[in-house]
Amino acid sequence: MADTLPTSRTNPFDPPRELLDDPSPIRRITFADGHEGWLVTNYELARAVLADLRFSSAMARRRQLIRRPSPEAFRAAGRTPAGFFIGMDPPDHTRLRKLLTGQFTVRRMKALEPRIEQIVAEHLDAMAQAGPPLDLVRAYALPIPSLVICELLGVPYADRERFQRDSHTLLSLEATQEAATAAVKSLQSYLLDLVERKRAEPGEDLIGGLIAGGELSSDELVGVALLLLIAGHETTANMLGLGMFALLLDPDQAEALRDGRVDVANAVEELLRYLTVLQFGTTRTAVEDVELGGALIRAGDSVGVYLPTANRDKARFTSGNELDLAADAHGHLAFGHGVHQCLGQQLARIEMRVAYPALLRRFPTLRLAVPPEEVPLRTDMAIYGVHRLPVEWS
């Protein structure tokens, strides 16, 4: 039987050495359910799989490289949620994606920038008032994207502890099946109640706009909101936390970003490439026989797309396994590729472009309050990052 996916890191910012050092761009791998499928690790093949609709994203076909309770939890809660378009193929995916694309245009996301700047400034003020030491995740990295996505969707921020708790359970590799199923049902119940209240009193937020459009059922609205709520705060929060951890260990590059000697937009792309917080990548299943990288993928075979090493491919990215904020990282796969490329990527970019330099400028002496090896890493979560980041300043 083929090996399972290595998960042990020797460096907090690098994927497992076995995968970084393996020159094979495609190899056999055993999935969590015992299925013997394939793993692609370089940029060219990863991008090819993500762009090829012969590889299905349907949740009913999807297998996991690492045991995770959440996909089964969705099915145990009834079925693949209506509206949960990341687990759908065209044409169902296409219909929902088209309805949402207009809500996430570059122009519309750019219009949110002044409010994002205000939210960031408010949290910096709160940090200054609280004084050091503090946990940067709780004080800054987590609340900023949580508040932004709440305001965009129309979810009361006062309810954040509930959805953050349930999101954490769904992304945990250690959650029990019962806990994950309960978390799905809790989120679905909460969002269904919110949707019904918004039907009675529509607002100008995203959920209100989708209700006004009249094309989605309540169940579909719940599925869309569930996906956007979880993805909209977890990924950016962990990029902010892990990114600041990396920058605090590289003061020269942190200073260059703070002082404007590197372009902030370019720096964000490089951090996205280098860190790739979707630490186990994603999976697809072939719906017909496909030749890929000299291998024949049979219909029904699953393929793991290992994004962390694809984004370190030296044939595509000159900085490879190094972080270089001045390097060209365009075309990275941190947001995916193809029809399932992250819908909210422009929003995430704006949040990071504002939050990183603002923090470094407000607290130029910001530093870790504990040795680096004492920072707790999210190796137990589907989305990588740090659980806490103790910092101080003078």
Side-chain angles (χ1 to χ4, degrees):
M1 181 174 284
D3 292 339
T4 57
L5 185 74
T7 58
S8 296
R9 294 172 179 255
T10 57
N11 176 306
F13 309 112
D14 288 344
R17 295 304 315 181
E18 301 97 309
L19 294 171
L20 270 183
D21 296 339
D22 187 351
S24 306
I26 183 168
R27 60 192 255 189
R28 300 308 298 249
I29 197 83
T30 299
F31 284 70
D33 64 354
H35 169 77
E36 191 165 323
W38 301 86
L39 184 72
V40 298
T41 55
N42 76 349
Y43 181 87
E44 180 184 3
L45 294 186
R47 197 171 187 272
V49 172
L50 295 176
D52 193 335
L53 293 179
R54 293 176 296 175
F55 292 102
S56 170
S57 294
M59 193 172 288
R61 291 190 174 105
R62 186 173 291 188
R63 295 183 175 95
Q64 300 297 319
L65 286 165
I66 298 294
R67 190 205 71 82
R68 286 182 57 196
S70 57
E72 290 76 14
F74 283 128
R75 288 190 278 269
R79 62 186 183 281
T80 300
F84 202 79
F85 56 93
I86 197 172
M88 298 177 180
D89 292 328
D92 294 332
H93 171 268
T94 308
R95 180 179 72 90
L96 292 168
R97 180 90 180 199
K98 281 184 176 178
L99 289 175
L100 289 163
T101 298
Q103 306 285 340
F104 286 92
T105 61
V106 174
R107 177 180 295 180
R108 184 161 186 176
M109 294 302 100
K110 189 71 176 173
L112 295 175
E113 189 165 351
R115 175 57 181 149
I116 293 171
E117 291 173 344
Q118 181 183 6
I119 290 170
V120 167
E122 289 169 353
H123 283 82
L124 291 171
D125 289 344
M127 285 177 59
Q129 185 172 4
L134 52 72
D135 173 16
L136 195 65
V137 171
R138 281 288 158 192
Y140 194 74
L142 179 59
I144 289 170
S146 295
L147 181 52
V148 171
I149 197 64
C150 280
E151 292 189 358
L152 180 64
L153 293 178
V155 172
Y157 186 60
D159 297 336
R160 63 190 179 278
E161 287 189 10
R162 176 175 179 175
F163 70 72
Q164 287 172 354
R165 178 198 66 220
D166 289 337
S167 298
H168 186 277
T169 300
L170 289 176
L171 294 171
S172 172
L173 305 182
E174 299 176 353
T176 65
Q177 196 62 60
E178 293 75 18
T181 300
V184 169
K185 290 182 176 179
S186 172
L187 281 169
Q188 288 176 326
S189 173
Y190 168 75
L191 290 169
L192 181 59
D193 178 67
L194 181 66
V195 165
E196 295 307 322
R197 282 189 280 122
K198 285 184 176 293
R199 284 196 187 280
E201 279 186 61
E204 296 184 2
D205 49 70
L206 190 148
I207 294 176
L210 292 174
I211 289 172
E215 296 188 55
L216 298 179
S217 67
S218 290
D219 284 348
E220 287 175 322
L221 287 164
V222 166
V224 166
L226 177 63
L227 175 58
L228 296 180
L229 184 61
I230 295 175
H233 80 274
E234 280 281 356
T235 49
T236 306
N238 284 293
M239 271 301 305
L240 289 175
L242 189 63
M244 282 309 306
F245 185 24
L247 290 170
L248 292 177
L249 294 181
D250 194 339
D252 289 343
Q253 293 206 74
E255 183 180 325
L257 180 57
R258 183 192 71 203
D259 296 345
R261 286 184 282 115
V262 293
D263 177 69
V264 64
N266 195 86
V268 165
E269 298 307 307
E270 173 67 355
L271 284 163
L272 284 161
R273 178 202 71 83
Y274 178 71
L275 298 173
T276 311
V277 295
L278 197 61
Q279 65 168 330
F280 306 123
T282 187
T283 62
R284 299 286 190 267
T285 299
V287 296
E288 61 182 75
D289 291 356
V290 181
E291 188 172 327
L292 181 72
L296 178 62
I297 313 299
R298 296 288 187 185
D301 282 357
S302 288
V303 178
V305 182
Y306 197 69
L307 301 175
T309 51
N311 277 339
R312 298 290 189 91
D313 190 340
K314 294 177 183 176
R316 177 61 180 80
F317 302 105
T318 56
S319 45
N321 291 325
E322 303 299 321
L323 176 65
D324 179 358
L325 299 185
D328 181 5
H330 83 276
H332 64 74
L333 303 176
F335 290 120
H337 179 65
V339 298
H340 284 284
Q341 191 171 36
C342 176
L343 187 65
Q345 60 182 288
Q346 300 305 333
L347 176 60
R349 285 185 167 104
I350 292 170
E351 289 175 297
M352 287 183 274
R353 289 171 187 172
V354 173
Y356 284 130
L359 177 63
L360 292 168
R361 289 167 187 159
R362 182 67 177 270
F363 302 106
T365 60
L366 191 72
R367 58 188 177 270
L368 291 178
V370 298
E373 59 271 18
E374 292 183 16
V375 174
L377 304 173
R378 287 171 54 108
T379 53
D380 58 337
M381 306 294 289
I383 297 177
Y384 188 59
V386 293
H387 284 293
R388 294 179 300 283
L389 191 64
V391 296
E392 58 189 7
W393 59 91
S394 54

